[in-house]
Amino acid sequence: MTRARLLIALSLALLPVAAAAQDGAPETPPAVLRPGDRAAVQVWRNQELSTTLTVGEDSAFVHPVYGAVKVAGVPLPEVRERLRQFLSRYEAEPRFTVLPEFRVYVGGAVRDPNQHYMPQLTVGEAITRVGGSTAPDRRHRVRLVRGG
C-alpha cells in the first residue's frame, strides 16, 4: 500500500512540472511567403483584381498592378493587411481572400516527385498529395529540410 501512495504522490507532484514544460514549449514560427511561393487573391465582385500571384526575388509580387506589394518574409496576417491597404486604392472597403501556396519540392520514393504548390501542410499530408510513397516500408526515413 505504501508503494501505491508513493506513486500517487509522485504523479501529483509531477503534474505542475509537466504543465510548465508544455507552457515553455517553443512556439511555431508564423508561416511566411518566400520568393517563388504564390498567393491566390480573390476580390469579391472584381474579376480584374482576382488572380494568382508569384512572389519575386525582390520580395514583391510579380505583377504589373500588385508589384508594389512586398510580401516575402512577413507573417501571413501582415500579407493580408498589406493587400487590404493596396486594394483600398481601388475599393473603399475591399472584401477579399488570400490563399497562400508554398513552393514545395517533394522527391525520393513518391509517385510524383516534382515541384508543387501547396497550402500549409504537414509532411505526411504533402506526401499524400503527391500520390503517396512508393516505398511504404521506408516512410520512417523521411528527412525534412526547410530554409536551406
Side-chain angles (χ1 to χ4, degrees), residues 23-39:
D23 290 341
E27 289 187 28
T28 304
V32 297
L33 292 172
R34 295 180 176 177
D37 290 340
R38 300 189 307 200

Side-chain angles (χ1 to χ4, degrees), residues 121-128 142-144:
L121 300 172
T122 65
V123 173
E125 291 167 336
I127 290 171
T128 300
V142 172
R143 187 173 77 172
L144 174 64

